[in-house]
Amino acid sequence: MPILKKILVIGSNSFSSNSLIKLLLKKRYFVCGLSRSKLNEKKFLAFNSRHKNFSFKKLDINKNHISIMRTIKKLKPSYIVNFASQSMVGQSWENPLDWFYTNSFSTIRLYQEISKLKFKIKIIHISTPEVYGNIKKKTIENTFYNPNTPYAVSRVTADQFLKILCDRKKINYCLIRSSNVYGEYQRLYRIIPKTIYCILKKKRLKLDGGGKSSRNFIHIDDVSDATYEIMKKGKNGEIYHISSNHVISIRDLVRNICKKMNYNFDQLVKFSPERVGKDKFYSLSNKKIRKEFKWKPKINLDEGLDKCISWVKINLNSFSKSDEKYQHKK
């Protein structure tokens, strides 16, 4: 039997990491997942948690630093894929120090300790396009940072610290920024599953700023395919964007879902003021990964929305009130 390559996935309970773990297990890697929360319920879990090549440890990047480093030293993974972050943008205004503690301090502490290890690890750091701020054109990888929220500022720090470590030849890494990901198993407080859920439950849907902001949506399985290519072939110290080429306003996105589900848009939505600091537009250029890896997205928005509608319908009766809203954890 060949020795399986080991991968450590930090933040393994996130929506995006779930899809990647599913792909890695399919490709016969051994995956160790770390998360501050217990394993997701089955309705939000994209992979088989009882798979023989998967193990899980409940560890918090803020509180269990020593145990995480002990796990890394024992496992000696070939790759670490780090999804761990406080990720909600609007809520970062309410408790900004929590966002900075996780996304800046704790992440930097982790990378500093990894840089001291005697064996080589390639880090795949999952960042965010929020660091670019409100840009009115296609954004390429070397665009200057212009963050508009506490969340975005908190993510810049670790991104830059990794670059410094790499420049000093202390660490190997690739950095990934994906446009708005969506798909089955996504939490209900995100716009696509939330819209579907509200239609099925005949609830009103609040659209901040009337849904005028525009985004570039990409199915999570396409993101995972690209992340895997970057993990295997990405050049040290490089930033990679993962996106589709289709930009749509939130309002038109919701209209499309209403049309698919034969529901009246005006009966569904209620408009509310725009969120503080919300970027009105961003669209990432994917030319770099198309050229380097011959990658392109396979699931268009129309097909992806059908998949999401089907998933919400199947699990509708298993969702609870606590699933509908984001619950902040320090």
Side-chain angles (χ1 to χ4, degrees), residues 19 22-23 182 184 218-226 295 299 307:
S19 174
K22 178 179 69 174
L23 177 64
Y182 75 97
E184 309 92 292
I218 183 169
H219 194 275
I220 187 57
D221 289 348
D222 283 328
V223 174
S224 294
D225 287 341
W295 172 92
I299 302 172
K307 288 174 176 283

Short mmCIF file of all heavy atoms in Angstrom, two decimals, residues 19 22-23 182 184 218-226 295 299 307:
data_model
loop_
_atom_site.label_atom_id
_atom_site.label_comp_id
_atom_site.label_asym_id
_atom_site.label_seq_id
_atom_site.Cartn_x
_atom_site.Cartn_y
_atom_site.Cartn_z
N SER A 19 -16.14 21.17 1.16
CA SER A 19 -16.06 20.75 -0.23
C SER A 19 -14.66 20.27 -0.59
O SER A 19 -14.50 19.27 -1.28
CB SER A 19 -16.48 21.91 -1.15
OG SER A 19 -16.29 21.58 -2.50
N LYS A 22 -13.98 16.83 0.87
CA LYS A 22 -14.65 15.81 0.05
C LYS A 22 -13.79 15.44 -1.15
O LYS A 22 -13.61 14.25 -1.47
CB LYS A 22 -16.01 16.32 -0.40
CG LYS A 22 -16.79 15.36 -1.30
CD LYS A 22 -18.14 15.93 -1.70
CE LYS A 22 -18.01 17.11 -2.64
NZ LYS A 22 -19.33 17.59 -3.14
N LEU A 23 -13.22 16.45 -1.80
CA LEU A 23 -12.37 16.22 -2.98
C LEU A 23 -11.07 15.51 -2.59
O LEU A 23 -10.63 14.57 -3.27
CB LEU A 23 -12.05 17.56 -3.64
CG LEU A 23 -11.12 17.51 -4.85
CD1 LEU A 23 -11.75 16.72 -5.99
CD2 LEU A 23 -10.77 18.92 -5.32
N TYR A 182 -20.79 29.72 -3.37
CA TYR A 182 -22.13 29.26 -3.00
C TYR A 182 -22.22 27.78 -3.34
O TYR A 182 -21.37 27.22 -4.03
CB TYR A 182 -23.21 30.05 -3.75
CG TYR A 182 -23.35 29.63 -5.20
CD1 TYR A 182 -24.33 28.73 -5.60
CD2 TYR A 182 -22.47 30.11 -6.17
CE1 TYR A 182 -24.43 28.32 -6.93
CE2 TYR A 182 -22.56 29.72 -7.49
CZ TYR A 182 -23.54 28.82 -7.87
OH TYR A 182 -23.63 28.41 -9.17
N GLU A 184 -24.48 23.74 -2.33
CA GLU A 184 -25.14 22.91 -1.34
C GLU A 184 -24.32 22.89 -0.05
O GLU A 184 -23.10 23.00 -0.08
CB GLU A 184 -25.30 21.49 -1.85
CG GLU A 184 -25.92 21.39 -3.23
CD GLU A 184 -24.91 21.37 -4.34
OE1 GLU A 184 -24.24 22.41 -4.56
OE2 GLU A 184 -24.75 20.32 -5.00
N ILE A 218 -19.51 31.90 -7.70
CA ILE A 218 -18.90 30.70 -8.24
C ILE A 218 -19.23 29.52 -7.35
O ILE A 218 -19.21 29.62 -6.11
CB ILE A 218 -17.36 30.86 -8.40
CG1 ILE A 218 -16.76 29.61 -9.05
CG2 ILE A 218 -16.70 31.19 -7.07
CD1 ILE A 218 -15.31 29.79 -9.49
N HIS A 219 -19.57 28.38 -7.96
CA HIS A 219 -19.95 27.20 -7.19
C HIS A 219 -18.75 26.65 -6.43
O HIS A 219 -17.63 26.61 -6.93
CB HIS A 219 -20.52 26.12 -8.12
CG HIS A 219 -21.22 25.02 -7.39
ND1 HIS A 219 -20.54 23.94 -6.86
CD2 HIS A 219 -22.54 24.84 -7.07
CE1 HIS A 219 -21.41 23.14 -6.26
NE2 HIS A 219 -22.63 23.67 -6.38
N ILE A 220 -18.99 26.21 -5.22
CA ILE A 220 -17.91 25.78 -4.33
C ILE A 220 -17.12 24.60 -4.88
O ILE A 220 -15.92 24.49 -4.64
CB ILE A 220 -18.47 25.46 -2.92
CG1 ILE A 220 -17.33 25.18 -1.94
CG2 ILE A 220 -19.46 24.31 -2.98
CD1 ILE A 220 -16.33 26.31 -1.82
N ASP A 221 -17.75 23.72 -5.65
CA ASP A 221 -17.01 22.58 -6.21
C ASP A 221 -15.98 23.04 -7.23
O ASP A 221 -14.89 22.47 -7.34
CB ASP A 221 -17.97 21.57 -6.85
CG ASP A 221 -18.78 20.81 -5.80
OD1 ASP A 221 -18.45 20.90 -4.61
OD2 ASP A 221 -19.75 20.13 -6.18
N ASP A 222 -16.28 24.10 -7.99
CA ASP A 222 -15.30 24.68 -8.90
C ASP A 222 -14.14 25.31 -8.12
O ASP A 222 -12.98 25.22 -8.52
CB ASP A 222 -15.95 25.74 -9.80
CG ASP A 222 -16.76 25.13 -10.93
OD1 ASP A 222 -16.39 24.04 -11.41
OD2 ASP A 222 -17.76 25.74 -11.35
N VAL A 223 -14.46 25.96 -7.01
CA VAL A 223 -13.42 26.56 -6.16
C VAL A 223 -12.50 25.48 -5.60
O VAL A 223 -11.28 25.64 -5.59
CB VAL A 223 -14.06 27.38 -5.02
CG1 VAL A 223 -12.99 27.88 -4.05
CG2 VAL A 223 -14.86 28.54 -5.57
N SER A 224 -13.07 24.36 -5.17
CA SER A 224 -12.26 23.28 -4.61
C SER A 224 -11.35 22.67 -5.66
O SER A 224 -10.19 22.34 -5.38
CB SER A 224 -13.17 22.20 -4.00
OG SER A 224 -13.86 22.72 -2.88
N ASP A 225 -11.86 22.49 -6.88
CA ASP A 225 -11.02 21.98 -7.96
C ASP A 225 -9.82 22.90 -8.20
O ASP A 225 -8.68 22.43 -8.36
CB ASP A 225 -11.83 21.86 -9.26
CG ASP A 225 -12.82 20.70 -9.22
OD1 ASP A 225 -12.63 19.78 -8.38
OD2 ASP A 225 -13.76 20.69 -10.03
N ALA A 226 -10.07 24.20 -8.22
CA ALA A 226 -8.99 25.16 -8.42
C ALA A 226 -8.03 25.18 -7.24
O ALA A 226 -6.81 25.26 -7.42
CB ALA A 226 -9.57 26.56 -8.65
N TRP A 295 -7.39 25.73 -16.02
CA TRP A 295 -8.61 25.56 -15.23
C TRP A 295 -9.71 26.48 -15.76
O TRP A 295 -9.45 27.57 -16.23
CB TRP A 295 -8.33 25.88 -13.76
CG TRP A 295 -9.56 25.93 -12.90
CD1 TRP A 295 -10.11 24.91 -12.19
CD2 TRP A 295 -10.40 27.08 -12.66
NE1 TRP A 295 -11.24 25.34 -11.53
CE2 TRP A 295 -11.44 26.67 -11.81
CE3 TRP A 295 -10.38 28.41 -13.11
CZ2 TRP A 295 -12.44 27.53 -11.37
CZ3 TRP A 295 -11.38 29.27 -12.69
CH2 TRP A 295 -12.39 28.84 -11.82
N ILE A 299 -19.48 24.64 -13.48
CA ILE A 299 -20.89 24.74 -13.07
C ILE A 299 -21.34 26.19 -13.22
O ILE A 299 -20.88 27.08 -12.50
CB ILE A 299 -21.06 24.28 -11.61
CG1 ILE A 299 -20.56 22.85 -11.44
CG2 ILE A 299 -22.52 24.40 -11.18
CD1 ILE A 299 -20.50 22.37 -9.99
N LYS A 307 -29.08 23.18 -8.10
CA LYS A 307 -28.53 22.27 -7.09
C LYS A 307 -28.86 22.76 -5.68
O LYS A 307 -29.22 21.97 -4.80
CB LYS A 307 -26.99 22.17 -7.25
CG LYS A 307 -26.51 21.38 -8.47
CD LYS A 307 -24.99 21.47 -8.59
CE LYS A 307 -24.45 20.63 -9.73
NZ LYS A 307 -24.43 19.20 -9.39
#
